[in-house]
């Protein structure tokens, strides 16, 4: 019978060899308490919880970053120090820029800057001015090709009428029209054709909101003659209000009608949404933009209405 001492020695050797030969299956995690690692850990914890601003290191110190305030309203420049013009003075300056141009090719345009929310509802509508701005535009009518609406649209002067043929030309990139009207019966077929991806970015896609999905396309074409559309974009509404050949009185009435229509559209909005006209700028096709002061004629200037009639 052997003594217990050799048995204990053999047992200890066996245990040590078994421990050293067994590989480690669990990953080893190292934790550091240095300032850089601690700052990163705090920044991750703060960004996940969202209680305070993220932490960044500046000159060896942990500094809390302040979140930038995002403006919810359109920025309005200070126009109190800018020179403003009466309507007659602005027309005289713009006509000097358009010397040699045809009276029917140059147009006056008014830009209205509005104050309001960036993500709020926009103002858009169509108006018939007292003295229309004559424009030549081509109209496309989407309707059944053999229907009575197609015959009336062709008689009214539409350059393109039909359904499948129109869709194929649009997909091929052949767009020879400036406006597009859809008859109500052809609306489902137009939506399935996929032409909205092409007409939408160009602003030509018919829709109910823009009054271009109608029951009688020919009647809508007659209403478009002399009518002007306007839409608010980034807090500014632009629209052509006259031609170079219009007299100051005609341009004055057009601007007044446009301003009244815009005020009505603003009043139809919710009471919680406030929009005000901050600035009115008159420009021409090749001329600069001149801010208007709301007066027809200034007492300081000698220009009269008769000086601009027939010039």
């Amino acid at each position: 019978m052997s003594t217990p001492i050799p048995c204990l020695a053999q047992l200890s050797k066996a245990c040590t060899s078994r421990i050293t030969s067994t590989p480690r299956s669990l990953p080893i995690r190292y934790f550091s308490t240095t300032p850089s690692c601690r700052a990163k850990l705090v920044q991750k914890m703060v960004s996940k919880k969202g209680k305070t601003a993220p932490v960044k290191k500046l000159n060896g110190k942990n500094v809390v970053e302040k979140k930038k305030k995002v403006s919810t309203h359109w920025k309005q420049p200070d126009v109190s120090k800018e020179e403003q013009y009466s309507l007659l003075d602005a027309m005289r300056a713009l006509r000097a820029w358009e010397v040699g141009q045809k009276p029917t090719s140059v147009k006056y345009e008014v830009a209205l800057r509005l104050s309001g929310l960036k993500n709020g509802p926009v103002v858009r509508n169509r108006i018939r001015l007292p003295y229309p701005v004559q424009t030549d535009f081509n109209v496309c009518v989407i309707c059944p090709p053999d229907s009575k609406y197609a015959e009336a649209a062709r008689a009214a002067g539409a350059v393109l009428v039909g359904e499948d043929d129109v869709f194929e030309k649009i997909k091929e990139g052949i767009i020879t029209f400036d406006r597009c009207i859809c008859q109500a019966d052809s609306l489902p077929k137009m939506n399935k054709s996929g032409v909205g991806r092409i007409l939408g970015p160009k602003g030509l896609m018919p829709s109910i909101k823009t009054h271009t999905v109608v029951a009688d396309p020919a009647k809508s074409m007659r209403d478009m003659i002399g009518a002007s559309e306007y839409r608010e974009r980034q807090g500014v509404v632009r629209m052509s209000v006259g031609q170079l050949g219009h007299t100051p009185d005609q341009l004055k009435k057009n601007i007044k009608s446009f301003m009244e229509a815009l005020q009505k559209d603003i009043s139809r909005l919710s009471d919680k949404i406030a929009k005000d006209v901050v600035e009115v700028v008159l420009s021409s096709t090749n001329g600069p933009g001149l801010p208007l002061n709301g007066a027809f004629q200034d007492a300081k200037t000698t220009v009269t209405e008769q000086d601009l009639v027939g010039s």
Side-chain angles (χ1 to χ4, degrees):
M1 186 175 180
S2 61
T3 59
I5 295 175
C7 294
L8 292 174
Q10 293 177 2
L11 182 61
S12 62
K13 288 182 181 180
C15 292
T16 54
S17 62
R18 188 176 298 175
I19 292 173
T20 54
S21 62
T22 304
R24 293 178 178 178
S25 59
L26 297 177
I28 301 175
R29 299 179 62 190
Y30 297 95
F31 294 93
S32 175
T33 56
T34 57
S36 59
C37 294
R38 187 163 55 240
K40 292 181 180 178
L41 184 60
V42 171
Q43 184 173 356
K44 290 181 180 179
M45 294 174 64
V46 169
S47 61
K48 287 183 179 180
K49 293 181 180 180
K51 293 182 179 179
T52 57
V55 179
K56 69 175 182 178
K57 198 168 184 179
L58 182 64
N59 297 329
K61 297 181 180 179
N62 294 332
V63 181
V64 178
E65 288 185 350
K66 294 183 178 179
K67 293 184 179 179
K68 295 182 180 179
K69 294 183 178 179
V70 180
S71 176
T72 58
H73 291 70
W74 297 111
K75 292 183 179 180
Q76 303 300 334
D78 185 11
V79 297
S80 58
K81 298 181 181 179
E82 293 185 2
E83 184 180 1
Q84 295 182 339
Y85 300 81
S86 65
L87 183 60
L88 293 183
D89 291 334
M91 289 184 66
R92 180 180 63 175
L94 293 176
R95 287 194 176 192
W97 279 80
E98 305 293 351
V99 172
Q101 300 293 334
K102 294 181 180 180
T104 56
S105 62
V106 176
K107 297 179 180 60
Y108 290 112
E109 185 183 70
V110 164
L112 303 178
R113 187 186 298 275
L114 305 179
S115 62
L117 291 171
K118 288 184 178 180
N119 296 328
V122 298
V123 178
R124 61 188 302 176
N125 206 339
R126 182 188 299 168
I127 181 178
R128 291 182 63 87
L129 298 172
Y131 299 94
V133 182
Q134 299 295 335
T135 55
D136 297 330
F137 56 88
N138 300 323
V139 181
C140 168
V141 177
I142 299 176
C143 65
D146 298 331
S147 63
K148 61 178 182 180
Y149 303 110
E151 296 179 1
R154 293 188 185 95
V159 295
L160 193 60
V161 180
E163 288 180 340
D164 295 334
D165 295 341
V166 174
F167 300 151
E168 290 179 2
K169 289 185 178 180
I170 293 174
K171 291 178 181 179
E172 292 175 0
I174 304 175
I175 300 176
T176 59
F177 50 88
D178 303 312
R179 298 190 184 181
C180 185
I181 302 175
C182 179
Q183 208 274 331
D185 297 338
S186 300
L187 181 60
K189 194 170 184 178
M190 181 189 67
N191 293 333
K192 292 181 180 179
S193 65
V195 296
R197 291 174 294 181
I198 303 174
L199 298 180
K202 299 180 181 295
L204 298 175
M205 184 62 180
S207 66
I208 298 175
K209 292 183 179 179
T210 56
H211 307 288
T212 48
V213 176
V214 296
D216 189 355
K219 181 178 181 300
S220 182
M221 288 180 61
R222 290 191 292 268
D223 294 339
M224 279 185 178
I225 299 175
S228 302
E229 296 180 357
Y230 58 89
R231 186 183 188 277
E232 178 186 356
R233 289 181 173 87
Q234 296 183 352
V236 179
V237 181
R238 290 182 174 89
M239 194 185 76
S240 298
V241 292
Q243 293 175 336
L244 191 65
H246 283 171
T247 64
D249 184 64
Q250 292 174 341
L251 187 61
K252 174 186 175 182
K253 292 180 179 179
N254 282 355
I255 294 176
K256 184 179 179 181
S257 299
F258 174 46
M259 295 287 293
E260 291 176 352
L262 185 68
Q263 292 292 348
K264 289 181 180 178
D265 294 334
I266 293 175
S267 64
R268 295 191 189 101
L269 300 177
S270 175
D271 296 337
K272 298 180 181 180
I273 301 170
K275 285 182 180 289
D276 295 318
V277 179
V278 179
E279 187 181 18
V280 181
V281 178
L282 180 68
S283 62
S284 61
T285 303
N286 303 302
L290 303 178
L292 300 179
N293 57 10
F296 182 68
Q297 181 179 9
D298 277 340
K300 298 180 181 179
T301 57
T302 58
V303 61
T304 61
E305 185 178 357
Q306 296 299 326
D307 297 334
L308 299 175
V309 175
S311 60

